[in-house]
Amino acid sequence: AMSSSQRATPHTPMRNRVTPMGDILAVELRGAWLGNRGILHEGTRVVRFHRSTLWIICTLRHKDWRLPQWTEGHFTVLFFHDEAVALAAGHRPCALCRRGDYNAFRAGWVGGYGGATPFAREIDRQLHGKRIHRDTHRRRLHRSKWDALPDGVFVLVHNTPTLVLGASIVPWTVRGYGRPRPRPDSGLVQLITPPSTVLALRHGYRPQIDPSVLA
C-alpha cells in the first residue's frame, strides 16, 4: 500500500512503472504488482537500470511491512500493470512474499528443462543473460514460431509489445491493453518474454493478466 506522499497526482506520475520491454517510465497506469531490481534511485530520480541479477515480482502488500518509496538505502519500488508484463520485463515471482507462485514457477521451469529444482540464483543468472545484452540496457529479443507460444507471453508486433492470449494477440501501451486481433497461424515473431519464462508458462505456470483483457 502506498502512503499519501507516494501517490503521484494525475499530472505528476513518478518514474516507477515498468513496461514489457523492461523500461522504467513515468506514466499513470496503475500497477497490480510491485517490483524490485535493487537501489536505482538518488532522491526521487531513477539513475540506473538495475543493480544486480535479482529482478523480482512482489505483492503490493505483505504482512504489515511498509515499503517506503525513494528512501535512501532502500530498494526502488517499481510497479507492473499485471504479471504478464512483469514476466516479459524479465522479472520472476519473489520467493519470500509469493512462495507458492515462486514454487509453481520453478515447477514449470523444471517441466521445460528437466533436472533438479533450481535455486533462485540459478534462475536469476539464466534470466539475466536472456533479457538484456551483457553490460548494456539493450533488450534481447528472441525469435520464436507463433504456434509455439503459450498464453501470457509478450511479442513485438509492429514495434508494439503485444500479449499472446488464445487465438488473439493484444497490443499493450502505457495506457493499458488495446483491442484484440487474430493471432497469426504460422511464421516467426520476435519474443520479448525471456525463453526460460516462456518454458515455465508452457509447462503450467499461470500468470495474472489484467481482467480487462479477459473480458
Side-chain angles (χ1 to χ4, degrees):
M2 291 190 292
S3 68
S4 58
S5 62
Q6 287 172 259
R7 286 193 204 102
T9 70
H11 305 294
T12 57
M14 304 301 280
R15 188 179 164 206
N16 56 18
R17 305 298 198 274
V18 181
T19 74
M21 296 291 282
D23 297 317
I24 305 170
L25 304 181
V27 296
E28 296 174 25
L29 194 63
R30 295 293 298 173
W33 300 93
L34 185 147
N36 178 0
R37 286 183 201 171
I39 302 169
L40 315 181
H41 64 281
E42 292 175 5
T44 58
R45 290 187 313 118
V46 172
V47 297
R48 57 184 64 85
F49 189 71
H50 68 92
R51 281 298 291 265
S52 72
T53 60
L54 178 73
W55 296 25
I56 56 177
I57 311 164
C58 299
T59 56
L60 293 177
R61 186 190 299 264
H62 183 61
K63 299 181 179 175
D64 59 350
W65 295 1
R66 299 292 296 168
L67 291 170
Q69 180 67 289
W70 313 120
T71 302
E72 186 177 353
H74 190 279
F75 78 82
T76 305
V77 180
L78 305 172
F79 295 96
F80 307 106
H81 180 203
D82 64 14
E83 192 180 14
V85 167
L87 293 173
H91 291 243
R92 53 95 176 154
C94 174
L96 184 62
C97 68
R98 301 186 59 201
R99 191 72 189 182
D101 291 335
Y102 169 71
N103 285 335
F105 185 82
R106 292 199 298 170
W109 185 287
V110 170
Y113 283 114
T117 301
F119 292 107
R121 63 179 177 273
E122 298 171 50
I123 293 175
D124 295 337
R125 190 165 54 240
Q126 170 99 338
L127 286 176
H128 201 64
K130 298 294 186 183
R131 59 193 168 210
I132 55 177
H133 289 280
R134 186 170 180 167
D135 299 325
T136 75
H137 300 165
R138 282 191 306 117
R139 187 74 198 186
R140 280 192 70 180
L141 299 176
H142 305 267
R143 287 162 74 84
S144 178
K145 295 180 179 179
W146 274 109
D147 59 8
L149 296 176
D151 287 357
V153 308
F154 267 88
V155 293
L156 197 63
V157 178
H158 304 311
N159 224 28
T160 300
T162 302
L163 177 73
V164 174
L165 195 62
S168 299
I169 56 174
V170 191
W172 185 94
T173 73
V174 295
R175 293 177 298 280
Y177 288 103
R179 188 182 297 274
R181 302 203 305 272
R183 170 179 174 167
D185 294 326
S186 60
L188 295 172
V189 66
Q190 295 272 68
L191 182 62
I192 299 173
T193 306
S196 301
T197 301
V198 175
L199 272 182
L201 294 173
R202 191 179 297 141
H203 289 86
Y205 188 74
R206 296 285 177 264
Q208 178 268 338
I209 298 173
D210 189 278
S212 66
V213 181
L214 305 174

